[in-house]
Amino acid sequence: MFDLVIGGQSVATATRFPVLNPATGAPVAEAPNATAEDLDRAVEAAEAAFRDLSARPEEERRSLCEAMAAKLEAHAEELAQLLTREQGKPLNGLGSRWELGAAVAWAKHTCTLSLPVKTIQNDNRGTVELHRKPLGVVGSITPWNFPILIAVWHVVPAVLTGNTVVIKPSPYTPLTTLRFVELMNEVLPAGVLNSLSGDDRAVNLGALMSAHPGIRKIVFTGSSETGRKVAASASATMKRLTLEMGGNDAGIVLPDADPKAIAEGVFWGAFINNGQTCAAIKRLYVHEDVYDAVCEELVNYARGVSVGDGTEEGTALGPMQNRMQFDKVSRLVADAKSRGRVLIGGEPGEGLFFPPTIIADLEDGVALVDEEQFGPALPVIKYRDIDDAIARANDSPWGLGGSIWSKDIQKARGLALRLETGSAWVNKHVAIQPDAPFGGVKGSGLGTEFGEEGLQEYTDIQVLSY
């Protein structure tokens, strides 16, 4: 039985909604449908808890975060099993157990961070100090692709800096987050972390949160379209915002690259989590000298990737998470098939299963290239001139990540720095880590996550002179 947690107490709701297993279509469980009144109560509980938490020394808050990390680690397998059932990703490989392991690692690293007082001046004219102070109640809105990992990204830095949290997961994958909040409330003071869920039909909780006067900051991970709505709604109350939104990441393969050596890295850079990853490779530009060989090696690797129910131990890729995204990918692939050459896949499977699909000989202007597909379909584009490839990669409203693939690391490094992206990689992709700041430029987001820079986003600056 899954309920809300408000003020440290389990709260039932008048109505509930089913959460479906994308591999089978069968219900996993029912989730509670929160109301606007539940949101008000959650914010009130978080405001009350903030007065206590923000007054505690940083070391006490660090101890609370360390207890959260330990609790998460102790229940990692339970959460991984639930995550696979509601999200569809496999237990193994880059699936649910990997996500839980990453969540634990992120939580543990965040516990090591600190924002000490910075002395700007200390001389005969006086002393000037820069203090970082917690904001208040943080509203966390999380997506369906990495629900538990992204919840940790939002919650742990918020608590470490002295903020309290109201979290709302996606209606497609609320169960793991609801259970996560239950577990964290076993080690946190009442009201520090509160959960809401809903099917967004009668009540749009996200919209209410972004406009709520009691919420001081919104941290949102999701689509660019929704992120823009969050920003517009939050403007009336001058909320602080961290928005990690969509991307259309380009990978660029240089003519000196070894096709066989890079095939695995390129494949998983594109197809991690079935391509349902904001910073995955969404379009691949390959130099004409190695174009055919890269296509061949990618197909050879893809043939060995098993697709099936994520609960089966040998599965490498599961189903797509929901019908909306499945239909979008189906539409984009159907259009691209008439404009390019299908190397593998291309036909939707049963239910929500969609095989890894690689389509070659496409050009900019094709929807599969220009739009964010957010699914297991990779367009491959041939290029001749590297300056042209860089320009085409940058000709996008998004700017989350990008990568260069080459044997010449220094040349690749220089080219990577020309990409208009928040993150750039050489011979790897989606290589995020808890000590390296992550965020998007242009339409891919606002603000930064991870590391000291990400921690600062949960604070206001106060300058003290005496």
Side-chain angles (χ1 to χ4, degrees):
M1 184 72 169
F2 294 88
D3 288 319
L4 311 178
V5 175
I6 298 176
Q9 301 296 314
S10 179
V11 176
T13 57
T15 64
R16 307 177 70 83
F17 64 97
V19 178
L20 304 180
N21 183 332
T24 64
V28 178
E30 289 188 329
N33 246 327
T35 63
E37 291 73 25
D38 291 322
L39 170 59
D40 288 339
R41 285 192 288 270
V43 172
E44 289 171 6
E47 288 176 326
F50 173 72
R51 291 190 285 273
D52 169 66
L53 184 69
S54 60
R56 296 192 184 202
E58 183 184 81
E59 288 309 309
E60 284 191 24
R61 301 197 301 265
R62 189 184 318 283
S63 295
L64 290 174
C65 291
E66 289 170 345
M68 291 171 66
K71 179 67 73 170
L72 182 64
E73 187 169 32
H75 290 265
E77 181 62 19
E78 172 198 344
L79 292 169
Q81 294 281 345
L82 180 58
L83 178 59
T84 287
R85 291 168 61 209
E86 70 167 344
Q87 204 281 338
K89 64 182 64 181
L91 282 168
N92 295 322
L94 297 173
S96 294
R97 288 176 177 139
W98 175 88
E99 180 172 340
L100 265 295
V104 170
W106 245 273
K108 287 183 176 180
H109 178 79
T110 304
C111 292
T112 69
L113 301 176
S114 181
L115 295 177
V117 175
K118 179 181 179 181
T119 301
I120 297 172
Q121 175 185 310
N122 185 19
D123 55 25
N124 58 4
R125 297 174 295 162
T127 301
V128 179
E129 299 171 341
L130 186 154
H131 294 252
R132 289 196 168 271
K133 304 178 71 173
L135 299 168
V137 179
V138 172
S140 163
I141 303 174
T142 58
W144 48 260
N145 58 339
F146 290 99
I148 196 71
L149 179 57
I150 292 174
V152 167
W153 291 353
H154 292 185
V155 170
V156 180
V159 174
L160 181 62
T161 47
N163 301 282
T164 54
V165 181
V166 176
I167 188 169
K168 186 204 85 70
S170 164
Y172 291 118
T173 55
L175 304 179
T176 313
T177 305
L178 292 171
R179 178 59 178 147
F180 165 74
V181 173
E182 287 180 355
L183 291 168
M184 296 306 104
N185 269 268
E186 294 178 8
V187 297
L188 290 174
V192 169
L193 178 57
N194 309 271
S195 62
L196 300 171
S197 65
D199 61 9
D200 290 344
R201 292 178 182 173
V203 178
N204 188 324
L205 291 170
L208 292 177
M209 288 172 66
S210 59
H212 200 291
I215 292 179
R216 188 75 174 79
K217 173 185 173 72
I218 291 286
V219 53
F220 165 85
T221 304
S223 72
S224 296
E225 180 183 2
T226 304
R228 287 191 291 269
K229 292 177 181 177
V230 168
S233 179
S235 65
T237 52
M238 295 298 291
K239 284 180 175 57
R240 301 296 185 264
L241 292 173
T242 300
L243 306 175
E244 196 271 278
M245 304 192 297
N248 193 15
D249 289 17
I252 302 177
V253 180
L254 301 191
D256 70 336
D258 180 341
K260 191 174 185 65
I262 69 171
E264 181 177 3
V266 170
F267 180 88
W268 288 114
F271 290 94
I272 180 174
N273 202 34
N274 243 3
Q276 299 168 134
T277 303
C278 292
I281 298 174
K282 307 289 174 58
R283 48 199 171 120
L284 186 67
Y285 294 89
V286 182
H287 192 273
E288 61 183 7
D289 289 355
V290 289
Y291 183 82
D292 290 337
V294 167
C295 289
E296 180 181 359
E297 293 298 340
L298 281 174
V299 169
N300 288 340
Y301 188 86
R303 287 197 180 107
V305 175
S306 59
V307 178
D309 190 321
T311 59
E312 298 172 2
E313 291 287 336
T315 297
L317 288 176
M320 296 194 66
Q321 205 289 317
N322 57 78
R323 174 60 60 180
M324 175 188 69
Q325 201 61 37
F326 180 92
D327 289 345
K328 178 180 181 180
V329 171
S330 299
R331 171 179 61 81
L332 292 174
V333 168
D335 174 72
K337 285 167 60 178
S338 67
R339 302 167 183 267
R341 176 166 51 99
V342 178
L343 302 180
I344 192 169
E347 290 295 330
E350 294 184 7
L352 295 180
F353 287 96
F354 204 110
T357 295
I358 301 172
I359 303 181
D361 303 346
L362 293 174
E363 297 290 340
D364 296 339
V366 175
L368 184 62
V369 178
D370 291 359
E371 297 184 26
E372 181 186 23
Q373 66 274 51
F374 214 70
L378 177 66
V380 186
I381 307 104
K382 185 186 295 185
Y383 77 91
R384 176 173 297 174
D385 178 73
I386 184 58
D387 292 330
D388 177 59
I390 293 288
R392 291 157 75 184
N394 288 336
D395 185 19
S396 170
W398 293 286
L400 196 54
S403 57
I404 307 291
W405 301 76
S406 171
K407 293 177 183 175
D408 187 337
I409 302 302
Q410 288 307 310
K411 180 179 180 180
R413 177 182 178 275
L415 292 171
L417 287 170
R418 292 172 57 188
L419 295 172
E420 296 171 359
T421 58
S423 295
W425 299 286
V426 173
N427 294 333
K428 53 189 172 182
H429 207 100
V430 210
I432 59 174
Q433 56 194 66
D435 56 349
F438 176 71
V441 300
K442 298 193 285 190
S444 285
L446 180 69
T448 301
E449 297 183 279
F450 315 156
E452 182 179 318
E453 292 81 1
L455 201 64
Q456 292 172 354
E457 299 253 344
Y458 291 85
T459 65
D460 275 331
I461 289 175
Q462 185 177 46
V463 176
L464 174 63
S465 300
Y466 58 92

